[in-house]
Amino acid sequence: MPQQVETKVFRDVRPMGGEPVDLVVSGGVVTSVADAGTAGAGTVVDCGGRLALPGLVDAHIHPDKTTWGEPWVSRRAARGIADLGEQDAELFRTLPTPVGVRAERLMAHAAALGTRAMRAHADVAPAYGLAGLEGVRSAAANLAHATRVQTVAFPQHGVLRAPGTADLLAEAARSGLADLVGGIDPGTFDGDLDGQLDLVFGIAERHGVGVDLHLHDRGEPGHAALRAIIDRTRALDMRGRVTVSHAFRVPELSGDDLRRLAEDLAEAGIGLTTVAPSPASVLPTGALRERGAVVGVGSDGVRDAWSPFGDADMLHRAHLLARSLRARLDDELTDAYLTCAHGGADLLGLARADLTPGSAADFLLVEGECVPQVVVDVPRRWAVVHGGNVVARDGVLLGREGD
């Protein structure tokens, strides 16, 4: 006999801080929204008037590098990206805990705080082989009940300046370990804009994967790289499969220059991600979206060789995004939350979990008055629902059976 699909009623919730309703969930989706206390039969989860908010998406995180849950690591001064990459490799060699265990510990923490999906970058270089990707893939499989994971084969040490990396990227894409292949500052760090981009886009085209490139370059090097990425995306018809992470050149633009670039990115179907590092470097999310560009938000590195900071809490990241954008009005604060939820979903190609009938039943439940107040206060997560199942309570991930 076919397995019976359980119906759950999340009673007395306030979607996005609105009036209390009952959310009826079956088969991993919201099937109906009823007046509070009126929904029909099903397993009842009494939510006590708490806010229901769309599940969050971490569009850019490096779980393979993390020291989350490890003894304190004292960091040394670094002279730039290459030096930081070497310190990454040193940590990889010396930490006693395998990368898969460390990555799973961090990713489980993120899921327990409401991250419904993430795009996980893992270093691929001769110093690691494919061990980082393999560890993240193993962690993703163990957490499949609580979050979805896309993987990026990321050449932190460069594609051309670290011989053998291009072959590893190709193997990661060919084997299915990587959903996307990455690059890093092709014109400056690798010293060959066309050479790196030709290799990365060539691998992606041959193996049917996406591209997600780190671009820290500002000024003309950053602008030249963006134009070259737009040209290749159009030429290879890779609309919706290319992302530029950080894109620090974009916040330098304004007026017609920003408008034209945003329109070109949107027309080519290239997404962008920001980690809201500062007011000077955060992407102008509103201006980009007005022109049709997709923008997601991520945690970046979490307590790794690069920084002692980070917590993989995307609600906290929404708070940081709002502060970086100098949000003050309620709609600006709400927009920061939705950028971390719907913007990330759009970037990863997921349906939005917007709490309407037919949407994915991925949401978090918190105490609060309204979304702006939640973004400011970053309250504890009373519960997290993924695929219609309660997968976490009070910030602690439950087993596969959930509640």
Side-chain angles (χ1 to χ4, degrees):
M1 293 180 61
Q3 187 174 3
Q4 188 173 3
V5 177
E6 183 183 14
T7 297
K8 289 191 177 76
V9 178
F10 291 88
R11 180 147 291 158
D12 191 17
V13 300
R14 295 188 294 125
M16 297 297 291
E19 292 300 312
V21 299
D22 291 349
L23 287 180
V24 183
V25 171
S26 183
V29 300
V30 176
T31 56
S32 66
V33 180
D35 292 339
T38 67
T43 301
V44 174
V45 180
D46 187 354
C47 300
R50 292 176 174 85
L51 275 73
L53 303 177
L56 293 153
V57 176
D58 193 327
H60 186 105
I61 187 169
H62 292 266
D64 65 313
K65 298 175 183 281
T66 192
T67 66
W68 185 265
E70 297 293 299
W72 180 255
V73 171
S74 296
R75 291 151 185 87
R76 303 191 309 274
R79 294 180 298 277
I81 288 176
D83 197 358
L84 287 164
E86 288 304 316
Q87 291 187 34
D88 281 334
E90 182 180 337
L91 270 181
F92 179 84
R93 291 191 300 269
T94 58
L95 284 175
T97 308
V99 61
V101 174
R102 290 185 285 109
E104 184 173 342
R105 187 190 292 149
L106 180 66
M107 293 158 68
H109 172 72
L113 296 178
T115 295
R116 66 182 286 235
M118 63 186 76
R119 181 174 286 178
H121 296 252
D123 284 6
V124 168
Y128 312 101
L130 299 177
L133 268 177
E134 290 166 349
V136 171
R137 274 291 189 188
S138 172
N142 291 339
L143 297 171
H145 68 293
T147 192
R148 301 168 182 84
V149 181
Q150 291 180 359
T151 52
V152 184
F154 173 49
Q156 178 70 80
H157 296 181
V159 178
L160 302 173
R161 67 185 287 160
T165 299
D167 290 339
L168 288 168
L169 292 176
E171 176 58 19
R174 185 202 64 77
S175 66
L177 279 173
D179 301 302
L180 304 96
V181 290
I184 180 169
D185 297 327
T188 57
F189 189 64
D190 252 357
D192 187 344
L193 174 65
D194 291 328
Q196 184 191 118
L197 292 182
D198 286 347
L199 273 170
V200 170
F201 275 86
I203 291 168
E205 183 187 26
R206 282 195 304 277
H207 298 289
V209 299
V211 171
D212 191 327
L213 300 131
H214 283 54
L215 187 59
H216 310 96
D217 287 335
R218 304 173 188 267
E220 183 51 37
H223 202 81
L226 283 167
R227 299 310 316 183
I229 292 165
I230 290 169
D231 290 345
R232 282 165 173 79
T233 303
R234 287 170 170 164
L236 296 175
D237 192 22
M238 290 186 66
R239 179 179 179 81
R241 296 167 54 205
V242 176
T243 301
V244 181
S245 293
H246 305 303
F248 290 151
R249 169 58 176 162
V250 177
E252 297 178 320
L253 302 176
S254 60
D256 287 344
D257 291 336
L258 177 58
R259 175 185 56 78
R260 282 191 294 268
L261 180 61
E263 289 174 350
D264 286 346
L265 289 165
E267 185 275 331
I270 296 171
L272 300 171
T273 63
T274 183
V275 300
S278 68
S281 298
V282 66
L283 292 176
T285 57
L288 289 164
R289 282 202 314 275
E290 283 175 9
R291 299 295 172 179
V294 175
V295 186
V297 184
S299 295
D300 207 10
V302 179
R303 300 191 189 181
D304 54 19
W306 293 58
S307 172
F309 295 103
D311 56 15
D313 181 352
M314 283 303 296
L315 179 52
H316 184 215
R317 190 61 50 170
H319 173 102
L320 295 174
L321 176 66
R323 293 194 69 166
S324 292
L325 292 171
R326 297 187 172 92
R328 176 174 171 271
L329 305 179
D330 282 2
D331 61 349
E332 294 169 337
L333 292 162
T334 299
D335 186 70
Y337 187 92
L338 293 178
T339 303
C340 292
H342 297 338
D346 294 346
L347 189 85
L348 269 63
L350 303 175
R352 294 183 174 188
D354 61 7
L355 304 168
T356 60
S359 68
D362 296 347
F363 54 91
L364 49 149
L365 294 158
V366 297
E367 302 271 4
E369 298 177 46
C370 58
V371 178
Q373 179 251 326
V374 167
V375 170
V376 170
D377 286 352
V378 191
R380 70 183 179 92
R381 289 353 87 88
W382 182 76
V384 174
V385 178
H386 185 81
N389 298 312
V390 177
V391 297
R393 286 193 179 274
D394 291 320
V396 177
L397 199 66
L398 304 176
R400 292 179 183 271
E401 295 79 14
D403 277 8

